[in-house]
Amino acid sequence: MIWTLLPLVWIFALSLKRDSALSDPGYNRWGNFWPEDPTLKNYELIFSGSAKDLFVPALVNSIVVCLISTVISVVLATFCAYALARLDFPGKRIILTTALAVSFFPVIAMVTPLFNLWRQIGLFDTIPGLIIPYLALTLPLSIWTLTAFFQQIPWEMEQAAQVDGATSWQAFRKVVAPLAAPGVFTTAIIAFFTAWNDFVFAITLTSENARTVPAALSFFTGASQFVKPTGAISAAAVVVTIPVVILVLLFQRRIVAGLTSGAVKG
């Protein structure tokens, strides 16, 4: 935990430092770790200062793009994984193998053709122009995760519901879906993190209108060409980390249940 939390605490400490404390260790304590005079100037800079026009729209774009990508990915993956887990049809293994191969495909290899195609069809620097590539990242992973989870749900429970008069859709909605909720939440969190942290697509397929936070951070500038915007970037990094922490805290039990499901037999 110390190994994991130390970089986060370090970034938080940087976000509270003034420009003088960033360049002179004499303004800090504990070996240049914590500022003697903490300030929220860097947070004011990204929310109401000169970096506002760059950071705030990017933050909104990140939230919109990642939420839409996650919802579409999880909904499609849920039905696909259910079919792969319950039905036996030709090409079943090919679909799973293809999904696995796509998830391992290097993202950088898709950037150039997508960049040219998006400029030709008008999707460059648009929200849909980012959502579609993000589905290529999140959908295969979601299919594999949910397929493994659906295979652990006893087939007899769904059959019992159908014997009692439920249709296939009712059995799925009232029996399978509640049992699959921990796995769906876990998959949604993983898909959201994957889209939230993407940099390659965000920096290549956007210009200004649809730019997300990871790409926007690379455009931060200091007061002059000789000043690095370390404090502003650190403050933005802290703000970007907050939604991730909130999601994990809100859905902690469901995530743990989804990750540990099937680990204990009986």
Side-chain angles (χ1 to χ4, degrees):
M1 290 181 62
I2 295 176
W3 178 265
T4 304
L5 293 177
L6 183 59
L8 299 178
V9 177
W10 182 269
I11 293 176
F12 179 68
L14 287 176
S15 69
L16 298 177
K17 291 183 178 181
R18 303 178 185 271
D19 293 339
S20 56
L22 290 171
S23 58
D24 188 354
Y27 291 96
N28 304 311
R29 62 182 66 174
W30 303 332
N32 200 28
F33 180 75
W34 193 262
E36 291 185 354
D37 184 20
T39 178
L40 297 177
K41 179 181 178 181
N42 293 315
Y43 292 93
E44 295 176 358
L45 181 66
I46 62 175
F47 282 112
S48 59
S50 59
K52 173 185 176 181
D53 294 336
L54 180 61
F55 178 75
V56 175
L59 182 61
V60 174
N61 290 338
S62 288
I63 295 174
V64 172
V65 170
C66 294
L67 285 178
I68 295 177
S69 301
T70 300
V71 171
I72 296 176
S73 176
V74 171
V75 170
L76 294 179
T78 298
F79 291 110
C80 180
Y82 178 78
L84 292 173
R86 288 288 188 259
L87 305 178
D88 188 12
F89 55 91
K92 177 179 177 178
R93 293 185 178 274
I94 296 178
I95 295 177
L96 285 172
T97 304
T98 303
L100 182 63
V102 171
S103 63
F104 283 111
F105 199 78
V107 176
I108 194 65
M110 297 185 287
V111 167
T112 301
L114 276 179
F115 176 79
N116 294 328
L117 178 62
W118 264 212
R119 290 184 66 89
Q120 292 176 5
I121 64 178
L123 286 178
F124 180 77
D125 198 22
T126 62
I127 297 297
L130 272 184
I131 292 176
I132 296 174
Y134 282 176
L135 290 178
L137 298 177
T138 58
L139 190 56
L141 180 63
S142 301
I143 291 175
W144 264 92
T145 304
L146 287 176
T147 299
F149 193 86
F150 278 122
Q151 289 175 345
Q152 298 170 3
I153 299 177
W155 175 249
E156 290 77 12
M157 298 184 66
E158 190 172 352
Q159 290 178 327
Q162 293 177 352
V163 169
D164 291 337
T167 63
S168 298
W169 170 247
Q170 289 175 333
F172 173 80
R173 182 168 55 89
K174 297 183 178 181
V175 178
V176 178
L179 293 175
V184 172
F185 273 96
T186 304
T187 304
I189 295 297
I190 296 174
F192 183 86
F193 289 171
T194 302
W196 186 262
N197 294 326
D198 172 72
F199 175 78
V200 178
F201 284 139
I203 195 67
T204 308
L205 302 180
T206 62
S207 178
E208 295 179 359
N209 298 326
R211 183 181 293 153
T212 57
V213 171
L217 292 181
S218 63
F219 291 92
F220 274 26
T221 57
S224 67
Q225 60 178 336
F226 304 105
V227 178
K228 294 182 179 180
T230 305
I233 292 177
S234 300
V238 172
V239 173
V240 171
T241 307
I242 291 176
V244 177
V245 175
I246 292 176
L247 286 175
V248 173
L249 292 178
L250 288 178
F251 303 111
Q252 181 180 6
R253 292 185 178 181
R254 291 186 178 273
I255 294 173
V256 174
L259 292 175
T260 58
S261 178
V264 180
K265 187 176 182 181

